[in-house]
Amino acid sequence: MTEKGDDSGNEGSKKFKSFTAYDVQKVRLEKLFNNIEKPVEIPTRKTSKNFANAPEFVRNVMGSSAGAGSGEFHVYRHLRRKEYARLHNIETAARNEQLDADYHRKLEENRKKAEELTEKKRAKRQKKKEKLKNKKKVKKETTDSEQQKEDASEEKKESSNDEEDKED
């Protein structure tokens, strides 16, 4: 007697007792790596269901009232579910559009706030820079004027010394 897990007879083929999710993934990856040149198709996710527009004229209008045939109620129920699904899709799309609009509005507000703060800080930096320049300028002017005063006083002293020397 052989069990599913035994390799009696077929050494080349591997049989597993039971597949776990790990084993299934491993087998799939090995299969992909065996033929690397083969392109791998990654399925894309459906964005939304495409419901048909509401019909202008609905045939077989009936309800769950008496007098309808035995199969008519199921047709009615199917049409009702289809219409409810369509309405639900419209409401969901409108809600998503509103959320997107709110999100983009909030992003724009945040961007404007950030720009205002940046502009405010830039103005503050410029003002500080101008103050520093003015301070340096004033300091330089005062040192220049003091230097000129000193030069002028030295010249007066020298001229007065020259005059005294001439008198002697």
Side-chain angles (χ1 to χ4, degrees):
M1 290 184 98
T2 62
E3 294 181 22
K4 288 185 179 179
D6 289 345
D7 283 314
S8 59
N10 291 338
E11 290 289 327
S13 66
K14 293 182 179 179
K15 293 183 180 179
F16 293 102
K17 217 174 216 181
S18 63
F19 281 110
T20 62
Y22 173 80
D23 294 332
V24 171
Q25 190 70 22
K26 184 178 177 182
V27 168
R28 286 181 183 168
L29 283 174
E30 287 175 358
K31 195 174 183 182
L32 285 173
F33 280 120
N34 286 340
N35 191 359
I36 294 176
E37 288 78 28
K38 183 179 177 182
V40 177
E41 186 176 320
I42 299 172
T44 57
R45 184 177 173 205
K46 287 186 177 180
T47 56
S48 65
K49 292 183 179 179
N50 187 11
F51 287 99
N53 293 334
E56 293 176 12
F57 179 76
V58 179
R59 292 183 181 86
N60 300 326
V61 177
M62 78 297 286
S64 59
S65 62
S70 61
E72 300 298 322
F73 175 71
H74 301 292
V75 173
Y76 161 75
R77 192 173 60 179
H78 173 70
L79 289 174
R80 186 182 63 185
R81 281 187 181 168
K82 193 173 178 182
E83 181 64 17
Y84 284 160
R86 189 183 71 82
L87 291 175
H88 177 72
N89 186 37
I90 290 171
E91 290 170 359
T92 304
R95 187 172 53 246
N96 287 341
E97 286 177 11
Q98 182 64 37
L99 289 173
D100 284 346
D102 290 344
Y103 173 74
H104 289 296
R105 183 183 46 79
K106 187 72 171 175
L107 276 180
E108 188 65 25
E109 286 177 7
N110 289 344
R111 188 185 60 76
K112 285 181 181 179
K113 283 181 184 177
E115 283 179 2
E116 288 172 3
L117 277 174
T118 304
E119 184 61 34
K120 190 175 179 182
K121 289 181 180 180
R122 182 183 299 123
K124 191 175 180 180
R125 284 193 308 270
Q126 291 294 333
K127 194 174 182 182
K128 189 175 179 181
K129 192 175 179 181
E130 288 296 322
K131 273 188 178 179
L132 274 174
K133 278 185 180 180
N134 288 339
K135 251 187 183 178
K136 285 183 181 178
K137 202 175 199 182
V138 167
K139 189 175 182 181
K140 188 176 181 182
E141 287 176 359
T142 55
T143 55
D144 287 346
S145 63
E146 288 175 4
Q147 186 70 27
Q148 287 176 356
K149 287 179 184 178
E150 288 176 9
D151 289 344
S153 64
E154 285 179 15
E155 285 179 13
K156 284 183 182 180
K157 286 181 184 178
E158 286 178 10
S159 62
S160 63
N161 285 340
D162 286 342
E163 288 177 9
E164 287 178 7
D165 286 339
K166 286 181 184 178
E167 289 178 4
D168 287 335

